[in-house]
Amino acid sequence: MKKQTISPGCIGIVGLGLIGGSLGLDLQSVGREVHGLVHRTATANQAKKRGLAQVISTDPKILSNCELVIMALPIAQLLEPPSELLEAIPKEAVVTDVGSIKDPIVKVWQKLHPRFIGSHPMAGTTQNGVNAGQRGLFRNRPWVSTPNSHTDKDAIEIIGKLAKQIESNWIKADALEHDKAVALISHLPVLVSAALLKMLGDNPESNIRELAALLASSGFADTTRVGGGNPELGASMASSNTYELLKALDAYKQSLNQLENAINLGKWNLLKEELSKTKLLRENIF
Amino acid sequence: MKKQTISPGCIGIVGLGLIGGSLGLDLQSVGREVHGLVHRTATANQAKKRGLAQVISTDPKILSNCELVIMALPIAQLLEPPSELLEAIPKEAVVTDVGSIKDPIVKVWQKLHPRFIGSHPMAGTTQNGVNAGQRGLFRNRPWVSTPNSHTDKDAIEIIGKLAKQIESNWIKADALEHDKAVALISHLPVLVSAALLKMLGDNPESNIRELAALLASSGFADTTRVGGGNPELGASMASSNTYELLKALDAYKQSLNQLENAINLGKWNLLKEELSKTKLLRENIF
């Protein structure tokens, strides 16, 4: 393992899955010293093989010299962090997380650490685990931070600089507004997409199920991609952002019912109008 | 225009949009003489420029020597074909269509032409019109035919051979079963996907709408792709396959409600199980 000491202190990454591993690769490539903490020895060995950090261990002590600690852990662990992790994070370090919900995590961590700032680098692939990390995952992707009046001003600057160094788009948002927005564009689509697969799987006519599977093409593949993703992640999004997700689901069902009404009444021009609006909206977003 | 006479008679294509134009290019490349009939002179000129057929005209008479006629027209025109088209199609020619619904089209055309066979080469892009046609669009994609007891046996063979020549996967299915299957994997996903965009567009909080649009990434892009497609096509699928689409929508809403119930009751293990099943189902399909 090559050791670089360009920066005064190391960056600790807790968890070297898709997000943590990708951050480890990118941060090393911009000259930072990265210490990666993982749970299992087997993971540590594979992470070493992949060079996800310069120092990799299952011993929380490797965080002791870090000026910055990024917690790339599942949401459940972010909400109930193990005490040995809390003890190992230096009090003077800037601390952030990468969780896909922010308000509940910020509420927990602002009580636990004086220099915590919630953040969410938004990138994903269908992969997870220690083999999933890849270079450039965050390039041109939003990295949302959710500072509030209690947040250490320097911490905001430090994480922001880091995001920019790896060519991520640094965005500031209110934690609750972040959670509302991701319910709409990330958490609800998982349900909407999974329900499409579930409907097909639950169809009682086996010949129709088989023909449908045979005929399914890129349209169905695209619409069902997120519904066929990581079940653990999908369930943890739902359990941690329940209120906003259910609100979004209500609004979604209203939209779907309005389209259904147009069809039920044979109002084809109205349906065409609605589909013209959705086409335009999508063109404006992407 | 190069003229080839490898085949005894020409293939007529009525309509040179995405499907008709792509067929024109592929069929020429396997040595067939293609005559393309279009509605407007401007379209004819552009189609000639693109070489979508060897002979291109707005005059239905160009079909008179064709041993095979493929109607690549919008569903509405297939259901109510203009009389000058009917008169121009030779009685001895094999006739097929490319419509994305089959039962209503087969019912109409079996009364109109003795050698009609319904078919549906399943391929698509986000493009349409005379500039959309492209080579190889049907390669390794299903080309479904829906013969029944009234269908001319030779007609089945002739279209099947054609499909294989352009490397499409030739499939036979019952027309109604085709319509059920495409309701599930093609027509319903348009609604499900459009409703997601509509929900976002109808959100009353402009700051949330803007943040959501800013944070939307590949997951949202994929899930909304077909809902942001051609409004005309989406509406015509709904108007021509209404019964099966509404039935599929009912089943979909049940699936969505079951996922919602799991969330409402905080049954996270059940939700995880459901998402594991949808993940497995998708892996089996693609």
Side-chain angles (χ1 to χ4, degrees):
Chain A
M1 270 171 296
K2 190 172 57 168
K3 193 152 182 175
Q4 291 177 306
T5 48
I6 295 166
S7 164
C10 61
I11 298 179
I13 302 182
V14 185
L16 292 173
L18 172 67
I19 303 295
S22 300
L23 283 172
L25 291 169
D26 277 1
L27 291 172
Q28 288 179 89
S29 75
V30 298
R32 301 300 299 256
E33 181 177 328
V34 179
H35 291 196
L37 175 64
V38 295
H39 197 60
R40 280 183 279 185
T41 310
T43 312
N45 291 340
Q46 182 59 17
K48 279 176 194 170
K49 224 184 256 176
R50 299 201 61 218
L52 299 180
Q54 287 102 332
V55 176
I56 294 169
S57 174
T58 59
D59 182 354
K61 285 204 187 74
I62 58 158
L63 300 178
S64 63
N65 289 319
C66 293
E67 58 172 20
L68 202 158
V69 175
I70 302 172
M71 295 178 301
L73 292 169
I75 294 169
Q77 287 180 52
L78 290 171
L79 292 174
E80 291 183 40
S83 57
E84 60 271 26
L85 172 63
L86 290 176
E87 283 156 23
I89 297 174
K91 279 289 157 282
E92 60 282 9
V94 165
V95 179
T96 193
D97 72 307
V98 303
S100 62
I101 53 144
K102 294 273 62 80
D103 191 56
I105 292 172
V106 170
K107 279 185 175 136
V108 166
W109 276 86
Q110 261 179 348
K111 288 180 195 145
L112 295 175
H113 199 284
R115 302 193 79 196
F116 174 80
I117 171 171
S119 81
H120 180 200
M122 299 193 68
T125 69
T126 54
Q127 307 302 308
N128 56 42
V130 69
N131 290 314
Q134 59 183 63
R135 261 175 234 282
L137 186 67
F138 309 100
R139 189 175 296 140
N140 299 325
R141 302 288 318 132
W143 186 329
V144 190
S145 68
T146 57
N148 57 33
S149 59
H150 303 291
T151 310
D152 180 321
K153 294 283 173 289
D154 292 339
I156 306 174
E157 289 307 308
I158 288 165
I159 305 287
K161 206 178 131 191
L162 206 70
K164 286 169 201 159
Q165 271 188 304
I166 62 169
E167 297 172 53
S168 188
N169 299 330
W170 179 242
I171 292 167
K172 287 180 199 168
D174 173 76
L176 204 54
E177 292 188 358
H178 165 278
D179 294 352
K180 283 185 190 200
V182 294
L184 302 182
I185 54 100
S186 172
H187 303 170
L188 178 63
V190 170
L191 284 192
V192 161
S193 172
L196 206 50
L197 288 161
K198 181 171 161 55
M199 169 220 57
L200 184 59
D202 290 351
N203 189 299
E205 298 179 87
S206 66
N207 56 332
I208 300 300
R209 280 203 310 276
E210 281 158 29
L211 184 61
L214 192 66
L215 302 187
S217 71
S218 61
F220 194 70
D222 283 352
T223 319
T224 59
R225 188 173 70 79
V226 298
N230 183 349
E232 193 82 41
L233 186 63
S236 82
M237 284 169 170
S239 68
S240 56
N241 201 15
T242 311
Y243 178 76
E244 294 303 338
L245 176 59
L246 287 174
K247 238 175 51 180
L249 184 53
D250 258 355
Y252 175 75
K253 292 203 288 186
Q254 269 186 41
S255 295
L256 194 60
N257 284 339
Q258 283 165 12
L259 297 181
E260 185 181 17
N261 280 344
I263 297 173
N264 257 322
L265 300 170
K267 292 190 171 175
W268 310 122
N269 278 333
L270 175 63
L271 182 63
K272 213 186 309 178
E273 252 171 59
E274 290 287 354
L275 295 178
S276 301
K277 277 195 253 172
T278 57
K279 180 176 160 62
L280 189 67
L281 178 61
R282 190 173 184 280
E283 284 165 359
N284 287 338
I285 294 175
F286 298 109
Chain B
M1 271 173 297
K2 189 171 57 165
K3 191 152 185 178
Q4 291 177 305
T5 46
I6 296 167
S7 165
C10 60
I11 298 179
I13 301 181
V14 185
L16 293 172
L18 172 66
I19 303 295
S22 299
L23 282 172
L25 291 169
D26 277 1
L27 291 172
Q28 288 180 88
S29 75
V30 296
R32 302 302 299 255
E33 182 177 327
V34 179
H35 290 196
L37 175 64
V38 296
H39 197 60
R40 278 183 283 187
T41 309
T43 312
N45 291 338
Q46 182 59 17
K48 281 178 194 172
K49 226 185 255 175
R50 298 202 62 218
L52 299 181
Q54 287 102 331
V55 176
I56 293 168
S57 173
T58 59
D59 183 354
K61 285 203 187 75
I62 58 159
L63 301 179
S64 61
N65 289 320
C66 292
E67 56 172 20
L68 202 159
V69 175
I70 301 171
M71 296 180 298
L73 292 169
I75 293 170
Q77 286 180 52
L78 289 172
L79 291 174
E80 292 184 40
S83 57
E84 60 271 28
L85 172 62
L86 290 176
E87 284 155 25
I89 297 175
K91 279 289 158 282
E92 61 283 8
V94 165
V95 180
T96 193
D97 73 307
V98 302
S100 63
I101 54 144
K102 296 272 59 82
D103 191 57
I105 292 172
V106 169
K107 278 185 177 138
V108 166
W109 275 87
Q110 262 180 346
K111 287 181 196 145
L112 294 175
H113 198 283
R115 304 193 76 196
F116 175 80
I117 171 170
S119 82
H120 181 201
M122 299 194 68
T125 70
T126 54
Q127 307 301 308
N128 56 41
V130 69
N131 290 314
Q134 59 183 63
R135 260 175 237 280
L137 186 66
F138 308 100
R139 190 176 296 140
N140 300 326
R141 301 290 315 133
W143 185 329
V144 190
S145 67
T146 57
N148 58 32
S149 58
H150 303 293
T151 310
D152 179 321
K153 295 282 174 290
D154 292 340
I156 306 174
E157 288 307 306
I158 288 166
I159 305 287
K161 206 177 132 193
L162 206 71
K164 286 168 201 162
Q165 272 189 303
I166 64 169
E167 296 173 54
S168 189
N169 300 330
W170 180 242
I171 292 168
K172 286 179 200 170
D174 172 77
L176 205 54
E177 290 188 359
H178 165 279
D179 294 353
K180 283 185 190 199
V182 295
L184 302 182
I185 54 97
S186 170
H187 303 168
L188 178 64
V190 170
L191 284 192
V192 160
S193 173
L196 205 51
L197 288 162
K198 181 171 160 59
M199 169 221 56
L200 184 59
D202 290 352
N203 189 298
E205 297 180 88
S206 66
N207 55 332
I208 300 300
R209 279 203 311 276
E210 280 159 28
L211 184 60
L214 192 65
L215 302 187
S217 71
S218 61
F220 194 70
D222 284 351
T223 319
T224 58
R225 188 174 69 80
V226 298
N230 182 350
E232 193 83 40
L233 187 62
S236 81
M237 285 167 170
S239 67
S240 56
N241 201 16
T242 312
Y243 178 75
E244 294 303 337
L245 177 58
L246 287 175
K247 237 174 50 180
L249 185 52
D250 258 355
Y252 176 76
K253 292 202 289 186
Q254 269 187 40
S255 295
L256 194 61
N257 284 340
Q258 283 165 13
L259 298 180
E260 184 181 19
N261 280 344
I263 298 172
N264 257 322
L265 300 171
K267 293 190 172 174
W268 308 122
N269 279 333
L270 176 63
L271 182 63
K272 214 186 306 177
E273 253 171 58
E274 290 286 355
L275 295 178
S276 302
K277 278 194 253 173
T278 58
K279 180 176 160 60
L280 189 67
L281 178 62
R282 189 173 184 280
E283 283 164 0
N284 287 337
I285 295 176
F286 297 109

